[in-house]
Amino acid sequence: VQLQASGGGLVQTGGSLRLSCAVSAQSVSIYSMSMSWFRQAPGKEREFVAAIRSTSSSTYHADSVKGRFTISRDNAKNTVYLQMNNLNPDDTAVYYCAHRWYWTVAYYSSSQWNTWGQGTLVTVSS
């Protein structure tokens, strides 16, 4: 499995961005995969943002982004998205998408995810 994240950039406070994570997997749909987004700000640890469960429509979001960010997937395009609205400077970070085959109750822990994309930088100016 290979992941390619894109869509980051510079945006003003209150603005929106949509991140994409293109998934390459031989003859396997992302519907059968659990996918997530994490972020890492300068000098801070990587933190959970959102996840979507394999073979389910269940999604999970960190409290800090709930109501502003939404994770989704397009099975036909093998792509996972993170729609980010009402951004603020605290959202500035490198955003990473990640994959694992089976769901885990510890989805919020970065150590539980097996494959990572290269990251895309989101900068929110005040």
Side-chain angles (χ1 to χ4, degrees):
V1 176
Q2 292 184 321
L3 310 178
Q4 180 73 38
S6 62
L10 174 64
V11 64
Q12 291 185 333
T13 296
S16 298
L17 281 175
R18 188 179 77 160
L19 305 183
S20 300
C21 178
V23 180
S24 298
Q26 288 189 347
S27 302
V28 179
S29 169
I30 62 169
Y31 182 70
S32 63
M33 305 177 188
S34 293
M35 299 293 300
S36 66
W37 288 95
F38 282 75
R39 67 186 180 185
Q40 188 165 19
K44 295 187 177 181
E45 292 187 356
R46 193 168 296 190
E47 66 171 355
F48 169 75
V49 176
I52 187 164
R53 189 167 177 166
S54 56
T55 65
S56 169
S57 58
S58 297
T59 60
Y60 305 82
H61 296 81
D63 288 343
S64 59
V65 307
K66 205 168 288 184
R68 301 188 298 123
F69 292 11
T70 303
I71 188 171
S72 63
R73 65 176 169 227
D74 185 328
N75 298 327
K77 296 183 178 179
N78 255 25
T79 300
V80 177
Y81 301 100
L82 184 68
Q83 177 66 44
M84 305 186 296
N85 298 327
N86 194 21
L87 287 158
N88 62 66
D90 289 339
D91 297 316
T92 295
V94 176
Y95 284 70
Y96 299 90
C97 57
H99 155 271
R100 60 175 287 129
W101 287 111
Y102 302 107
W103 186 246
T104 172
V105 294
Y107 58 85
Y108 49 85
S109 173
S110 60
S111 66
Q112 297 297 310
W113 298 85
N114 306 120
T115 307
W116 293 82
Q118 85 287 4
T120 184
L121 176 62
V122 172
T123 304
V124 184
S125 63
S126 56

Short mmCIF file of all heavy atoms in Angstrom, two decimals, residues 7-13 15-17 19 84 87 89 92-93 120-126:
data_model
loop_
_atom_site.label_atom_id
_atom_site.label_comp_id
_atom_site.label_asym_id
_atom_site.label_seq_id
_atom_site.Cartn_x
_atom_site.Cartn_y
_atom_site.Cartn_z
N GLY A 7 -2.86 18.70 -1.17
CA GLY A 7 -3.91 19.66 -0.88
C GLY A 7 -3.57 20.70 0.16
O GLY A 7 -4.37 21.61 0.42
N GLY A 8 -2.40 20.59 0.79
CA GLY A 8 -2.02 21.57 1.77
C GLY A 8 -1.70 22.92 1.13
O GLY A 8 -1.61 23.04 -0.09
N GLY A 9 -1.54 23.93 1.99
CA GLY A 9 -1.22 25.25 1.48
C GLY A 9 -1.37 26.30 2.55
O GLY A 9 -1.51 25.97 3.74
N LEU A 10 -1.33 27.55 2.13
CA LEU A 10 -1.47 28.68 3.04
C LEU A 10 -2.90 29.21 2.96
O LEU A 10 -3.40 29.46 1.85
CB LEU A 10 -0.47 29.78 2.65
CG LEU A 10 -0.57 31.10 3.41
CD1 LEU A 10 -0.26 30.89 4.89
CD2 LEU A 10 0.40 32.12 2.79
N VAL A 11 -3.52 29.39 4.10
CA VAL A 11 -4.90 29.88 4.15
C VAL A 11 -5.05 30.82 5.33
O VAL A 11 -4.33 30.70 6.32
CB VAL A 11 -5.89 28.69 4.24
CG1 VAL A 11 -5.71 27.92 5.54
CG2 VAL A 11 -7.32 29.13 4.05
N GLN A 12 -5.97 31.75 5.22
CA GLN A 12 -6.21 32.69 6.31
C GLN A 12 -7.14 32.08 7.34
O GLN A 12 -7.90 31.14 7.05
CB GLN A 12 -6.82 33.98 5.77
CG GLN A 12 -5.85 34.80 4.94
CD GLN A 12 -6.45 36.14 4.52
OE1 GLN A 12 -7.68 36.28 4.40
NE2 GLN A 12 -5.60 37.12 4.28
N THR A 13 -7.10 32.61 8.54
CA THR A 13 -8.01 32.17 9.60
C THR A 13 -9.45 32.26 9.11
O THR A 13 -9.85 33.25 8.50
CB THR A 13 -7.83 33.05 10.84
OG1 THR A 13 -6.51 32.85 11.37
CG2 THR A 13 -8.84 32.70 11.91
N GLY A 15 -10.65 30.21 6.89
CA GLY A 15 -10.70 29.62 5.57
C GLY A 15 -10.87 28.11 5.59
O GLY A 15 -10.96 27.50 6.65
N SER A 16 -10.87 27.53 4.39
CA SER A 16 -11.08 26.08 4.24
C SER A 16 -10.03 25.49 3.30
O SER A 16 -9.51 26.17 2.41
CB SER A 16 -12.47 25.80 3.66
OG SER A 16 -13.49 26.25 4.52
N LEU A 17 -9.76 24.22 3.51
CA LEU A 17 -8.91 23.43 2.63
C LEU A 17 -9.45 22.01 2.59
O LEU A 17 -10.06 21.56 3.57
CB LEU A 17 -7.46 23.38 3.12
CG LEU A 17 -6.54 24.57 2.86
CD1 LEU A 17 -5.20 24.33 3.56
CD2 LEU A 17 -6.34 24.83 1.39
N LEU A 19 -7.87 18.27 2.01
CA LEU A 19 -6.71 17.41 1.79
C LEU A 19 -7.17 16.10 1.14
O LEU A 19 -8.27 15.61 1.42
CB LEU A 19 -6.01 17.09 3.10
CG LEU A 19 -5.57 18.29 3.94
CD1 LEU A 19 -4.81 17.81 5.18
CD2 LEU A 19 -4.74 19.26 3.14
N MET A 84 -11.50 20.58 5.74
CA MET A 84 -11.17 21.38 6.91
C MET A 84 -11.78 22.76 6.73
O MET A 84 -11.44 23.49 5.79
CB MET A 84 -9.65 21.50 7.06
CG MET A 84 -8.94 20.16 7.11
SD MET A 84 -7.18 20.30 7.48
CE MET A 84 -6.61 21.21 6.04
N LEU A 87 -10.66 27.17 9.68
CA LEU A 87 -9.30 26.93 10.16
C LEU A 87 -8.79 28.07 11.02
O LEU A 87 -9.19 29.24 10.85
CB LEU A 87 -8.37 26.73 8.97
CG LEU A 87 -8.54 25.38 8.24
CD1 LEU A 87 -8.01 25.46 6.82
CD2 LEU A 87 -7.82 24.29 9.02
N PRO A 89 -5.00 29.34 13.43
CA PRO A 89 -3.54 29.13 13.47
C PRO A 89 -3.12 27.86 14.21
O PRO A 89 -2.07 27.30 13.91
CB PRO A 89 -3.03 30.39 14.16
CG PRO A 89 -4.03 31.44 13.77
CD PRO A 89 -5.35 30.74 13.77
N THR A 92 -2.19 24.79 12.14
CA THR A 92 -0.96 24.77 11.34
C THR A 92 -0.13 23.55 11.71
O THR A 92 0.21 23.32 12.87
CB THR A 92 -0.15 26.05 11.58
OG1 THR A 92 -0.88 27.17 11.07
CG2 THR A 92 1.20 25.97 10.87
N ALA A 93 0.18 22.73 10.71
CA ALA A 93 0.92 21.49 10.94
C ALA A 93 1.17 20.79 9.61
O ALA A 93 0.59 21.18 8.58
CB ALA A 93 0.13 20.55 11.85
N THR A 120 1.58 16.66 4.08
CA THR A 120 1.33 17.89 3.32
C THR A 120 1.16 19.02 4.33
O THR A 120 0.49 18.87 5.35
CB THR A 120 0.09 17.73 2.42
OG1 THR A 120 -0.08 18.91 1.62
CG2 THR A 120 -1.19 17.45 3.20
N LEU A 121 1.81 20.14 4.06
CA LEU A 121 1.88 21.24 5.02
C LEU A 121 0.66 22.15 4.91
O LEU A 121 0.33 22.62 3.80
CB LEU A 121 3.15 22.05 4.80
CG LEU A 121 3.33 23.30 5.67
CD1 LEU A 121 3.41 22.93 7.15
CD2 LEU A 121 4.59 24.06 5.24
N VAL A 122 0.04 22.40 6.04
CA VAL A 122 -1.06 23.36 6.13
C VAL A 122 -0.61 24.51 7.03
O VAL A 122 -0.21 24.28 8.17
CB VAL A 122 -2.33 22.70 6.71
CG1 VAL A 122 -3.40 23.74 6.97
CG2 VAL A 122 -2.84 21.62 5.76
N THR A 123 -0.68 25.72 6.52
CA THR A 123 -0.31 26.90 7.28
C THR A 123 -1.49 27.84 7.33
O THR A 123 -2.02 28.23 6.28
CB THR A 123 0.90 27.62 6.66
OG1 THR A 123 2.00 26.69 6.55
CG2 THR A 123 1.33 28.80 7.52
N VAL A 124 -1.90 28.19 8.55
CA VAL A 124 -3.04 29.08 8.72
C VAL A 124 -2.52 30.40 9.30
O VAL A 124 -1.96 30.42 10.39
CB VAL A 124 -4.10 28.48 9.65
CG1 VAL A 124 -5.32 29.40 9.72
CG2 VAL A 124 -4.50 27.09 9.16
N SER A 125 -2.71 31.47 8.58
CA SER A 125 -2.23 32.78 9.01
C SER A 125 -3.34 33.51 9.77
O SER A 125 -4.52 33.35 9.49
CB SER A 125 -1.80 33.61 7.81
OG SER A 125 -2.91 33.86 6.96
N SER A 126 -2.89 34.31 10.75
CA SER A 126 -3.86 35.04 11.59
C SER A 126 -4.19 36.39 10.98
O SER A 126 -3.58 36.84 10.03
CB SER A 126 -3.30 35.22 12.99
OG SER A 126 -2.05 35.87 12.94
#
